[in-house]
């Protein structure tokens, strides 16, 4: 494989899609050696096929706001790869959404889903619709209009969406409701549904819980535990909430959360009712964390800043892509951070990752760390298919086992000669090999 040729061809075909090209480059660099040991991959043009989505659906979403004005947004579904199972991945509603971001997310999702060991292909969708400040009625009308455009491409064995940034239980409920009305079938073609209509226990917690199970395995590998460690979390949405809840339960102290307006430092730890308060902050729809410092005066609000300047043992980016840059990484390393686990997708820039790996800081990428979310979506699909609902304990046990297994795969493929575990390499190789073998087994299609 000639990485430079593949990348320059992609760049010529898709100019300016920087997040997508960044995600592809990371995988290519990691899998180059194993790929070259398999001439049959080269002959079947596996990598050229894998880096392009199977299909992209783009559509105009037109809806009416509360003032009676007609609004237009763009909607997308990137069906990236279904070699392993039906397309599966979340939907993101955020003003920043564009094709490059959804292609990077769909590409990453393909490998992440492969790592879960469950039969799911990779996809991602979304819209540049911004939920910030929108009324409940506006959110519902937008979700309904979005699904009117997309429903024909979905199905329990075709493509199963879920939530992502800006899409939680409420939005999934509205989208699933419209989908169900159109197809007149209760096949559960969404995950993250409400518990009363086919949702799974533990799904809301799963991304954060799974991440902490993964962090526990990383620490155990070093003969350490999480008890008593200080943790910086970014974001304050569903993922940050689940991570804070589990980290606290395991005896760690979470001292930061953040929003687009800045970050909160709480030296007493974000625990108990403060964790519930995160849900309240999110539910206001204003997308700010500043009110936390008014409610809990021991905490400080740092406007316009990121939490990575604080001295902590563990950093858990839980907000969005590229939220930890090279400078942030240098600060974390200089302050003696022991472990960085991306809970957001592609939370670190390539410069940040280089800084962690060069300083031999224990670092793991989102596609391994946050796979518990989609894994539990896979468990929701299983429950829907057998028309049953499992207990919270059963789902949590399976989630825990899946995260341990992903950790084992990363160690197997990522351990370097000096013993340093390159989790990025391990996750990319393990995910890639599974997708490549599945594609090989199904011929040239
Ligand atoms: O990035 C992700 O893995 C998700 N947003 C969850 C996807 C899913 O299908 O549960």
């Amino acid at each position: 494989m000639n990485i430079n040729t593949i990348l320059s061809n992609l760049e010529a075909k898709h100019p300016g899609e920087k997040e997508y090209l960044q995600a592809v480059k990371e995988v290519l660099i990691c899998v180059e050696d194993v790929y070259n040991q398999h001439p049959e991959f080269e002959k079947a043009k596996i990598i050229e096929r894998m880096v392009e989505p199977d299909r992209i659906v783009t559509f105009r979403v037109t809806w009416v706001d509360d003032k009676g004005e007609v609004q237009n947004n763009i909607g997308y579904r990137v069906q990236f790869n279904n070699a392993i199972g039906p397309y599966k991945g979340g939907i993101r509603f955020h003003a920043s959404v564009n094709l490059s971001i959804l292609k990077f997310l769909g590409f990453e999702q393909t490998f992440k889903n492969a790592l879960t060991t469950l039969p799911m292909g990779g996809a991602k969708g979304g819209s540049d619709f911004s939920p910030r400040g929108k009324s409940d009625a506006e959110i519902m009308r937008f979700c309904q209009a979005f699904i009117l455009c997309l429903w024909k491409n979905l199905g329990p064995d075709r493509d199963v969406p879920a939530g992502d940034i800006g899409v939680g239980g409420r939005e999934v409920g509205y989208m699933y409701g419209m989908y169900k009305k159109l197809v007149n079938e209760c096949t559960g073609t969404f995950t993250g549904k409400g518990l009363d209509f086919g949702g799974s226990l533990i799904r809301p917690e799963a991304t954060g819980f799974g991440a902490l199970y993964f962090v526990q395995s990383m620490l155990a590998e070093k003969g350490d535990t999480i008890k008593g460690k200080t943790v910086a979390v970014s974001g304050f949405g569903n993922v940050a909430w689940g991570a804070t809840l589990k980290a606290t339960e395991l005896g760690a102290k979470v001292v930061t959360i953040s929003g687009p307006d800045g970050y909160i430092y709480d030296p007493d730890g974000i625990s108990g009712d403060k964790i519930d308060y995160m849900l309240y902050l999110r539910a206001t729809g204003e997308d700010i964390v500043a009110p936390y410092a008014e409610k809990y005066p021991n905490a400080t609000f740092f406007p316009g800043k990121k939490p990575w300047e604080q001295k902590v043992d563990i950093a858990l980016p839980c907000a969005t892509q590229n939220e930890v840059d090279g400078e942030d990484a240098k600060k974390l390393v200089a302050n003696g951070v022991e472990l960085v686990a991306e809970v957001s997708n592609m939370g670190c820039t390539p410069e940040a990752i280089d800084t962690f790996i060069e300083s031999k800081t224990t670092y793991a990428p989102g596609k391994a760390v946050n796979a518990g979310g989609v894994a539990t979506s896979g468990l929701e699909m299983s429950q829907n298919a057998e028309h049953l609902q499992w207990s919270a304990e059963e789902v949590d046990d399976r989630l825990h086992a899946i995260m341990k297994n992903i950790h084992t795969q990363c160690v197997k493929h990522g351990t370097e000669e000096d013993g340093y575990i390159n989790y990025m390499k391990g996750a990319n190789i393990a995910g890639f090999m599974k997708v490549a073998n599945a594609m090989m087994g199904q011929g040239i299609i």
Side-chain angles (χ1 to χ4, degrees):
M1 148 165 53
N2 186 328
I3 294 185
N4 288 338
T5 311
I6 296 173
L7 282 176
S8 53
N9 285 345
L10 269 190
E11 212 158 350
K13 259 194 274 181
H14 309 291
E17 295 191 356
K18 58 182 198 305
E19 293 87 0
Y20 164 57
L21 294 165
Q22 177 188 339
V24 170
K25 188 172 178 183
E26 178 197 300
V27 171
L28 294 189
I29 290 171
C30 290
V31 305
E32 185 178 17
D33 287 348
V34 283
Y35 192 83
N36 289 335
Q37 289 158 19
H38 291 271
E40 71 277 17
F41 288 171
E42 184 89 32
K43 194 154 179 276
K45 295 249 171 18
I46 287 289
I47 206 73
E48 288 85 344
R49 288 156 61 194
M50 212 184 265
V51 298
E52 287 284 358
D54 291 349
R55 170 180 316 101
I56 299 173
V57 189
T58 313
F59 44 92
R60 168 179 50 78
V61 186
T62 298
W63 57 286
V64 182
D65 70 17
D66 286 350
K67 295 192 199 102
E69 271 182 43
V70 176
Q71 298 286 346
N72 285 306
N73 287 98
I74 311 179
Y76 309 91
R77 185 71 176 164
V78 180
Q79 296 182 330
F80 220 101
N81 187 301
N82 69 352
I84 294 180
Y87 299 110
K88 180 83 196 89
I91 300 228
R92 177 176 293 193
F93 291 162
H94 193 267
S96 66
V97 163
N98 59 36
L99 199 49
S100 170
I101 289 176
L102 296 181
K103 280 169 71 177
F104 117 65
L105 288 163
F107 181 72
E108 293 245 315
Q109 196 81 45
T110 302
F111 302 103
K112 183 199 305 192
N113 294 5
L115 287 172
T116 67
T117 70
L118 301 175
M120 299 183 288
K124 206 83 191 190
S127 173
D128 61 353
F129 169 77
S130 172
R132 185 187 282 183
K134 299 288 191 301
S135 72
D136 187 65
E138 288 176 319
I139 301 266
M140 182 175 76
R141 287 196 297 276
F142 177 79
C143 288
Q144 292 174 338
F146 184 88
I147 286 303
L148 266 173
C149 302
L150 184 61
W151 69 280
K152 283 196 173 153
N153 299 282
L154 307 178
D157 293 308
R158 179 177 297 170
D159 185 346
V160 184
D164 193 78
I165 293 171
V167 177
R170 173 179 62 164
E171 291 75 15
V172 166
Y174 290 151
M175 285 193 275
Y176 178 62
M178 179 52 96
Y179 173 81
K180 209 181 65 176
K181 191 173 173 89
L182 290 162
V183 295
N184 197 18
E185 277 176 0
C186 297
T187 46
T189 305
F190 268 83
T191 60
K193 299 185 292 298
L195 280 179
D196 299 323
F197 50 96
S200 175
L201 287 158
I202 305 293
R203 179 64 190 89
E205 294 87 349
T207 310
F209 279 23
L212 267 295
Y213 297 150
F214 195 87
V215 167
Q216 276 188 302
S217 293
M218 292 170 84
L219 288 166
E221 197 67 31
K222 306 203 293 179
D224 204 351
T225 72
I226 194 166
K227 216 172 162 45
K229 306 259 188 225
T230 51
V231 181
V233 163
S234 63
F236 70 110
N238 167 264
V239 173
W241 166 76
T244 303
L245 198 60
K246 186 52 88 177
T248 307
E249 189 189 306
L250 295 173
K253 186 157 97 170
V254 176
V255 291
T256 68
I257 52 170
S258 71
D261 55 333
Y263 81 91
I264 293 287
Y265 177 74
D266 185 342
D268 300 337
I270 299 164
S271 61
D273 60 346
K274 296 172 181 171
I275 303 178
D276 300 334
Y277 186 69
M278 286 167 75
L279 297 177
Y280 167 80
L281 270 182
R282 174 59 59 189
T284 65
E286 287 180 50
D287 213 11
I288 50 170
V289 291
Y292 184 105
E294 286 156 35
K295 187 162 168 64
Y296 302 104
N298 270 0
T300 311
F301 174 58
F302 292 87
K305 297 252 188 154
K306 297 196 266 184
W308 318 126
E309 60 189 21
Q310 290 293 337
K311 181 173 164 50
V312 287
D313 301 318
I314 296 175
L316 301 178
C318 294
T320 194
Q321 67 273 357
N322 292 328
E323 56 172 312
V324 181
D325 63 22
E327 291 307 308
D328 299 324
K330 279 190 197 126
K331 279 185 215 158
L332 283 166
V333 170
N335 280 329
V337 74
E338 293 166 22
L339 185 151
V340 181
E342 279 179 6
V343 195
S344 46
N345 291 307
M346 205 166 77
C348 298
T349 64
E351 296 74 28
I353 297 172
D354 286 348
T355 303
F356 296 135
I357 291 180
E358 276 160 25
S359 61
K360 304 274 177 196
T361 303
T362 303
Y363 156 79
K367 59 169 82 73
V369 178
N370 74 28
V374 73
T376 307
S377 280
L379 301 178
E380 182 171 332
M381 289 165 72
S382 305
Q383 293 168 75
N384 292 163
E386 60 178 19
H387 303 279
L388 288 175
Q389 191 168 56
W390 301 344
S391 68
E393 194 186 7
E394 169 146 22
V395 178
D396 197 29
D397 286 350
R398 283 178 188 258
L399 167 63
H400 208 146
I402 288 169
M403 297 315 296
K404 278 190 177 164
N405 178 283
I406 297 174
H407 183 264
T408 305
Q409 296 181 62
C410 290
V411 172
K412 180 174 167 205
H413 294 282
T415 304
E416 296 184 338
E417 274 171 17
D418 63 358
Y420 175 72
I421 302 167
N422 185 330
Y423 284 89
M424 172 178 68
K425 201 169 158 198
N428 282 326
I429 293 176
F432 166 81
M433 284 305 288
K434 179 147 188 211
V435 180
N437 287 329
M439 288 174 73
M440 289 300 292
Q442 294 170 70
I444 309 294
I445 49 169

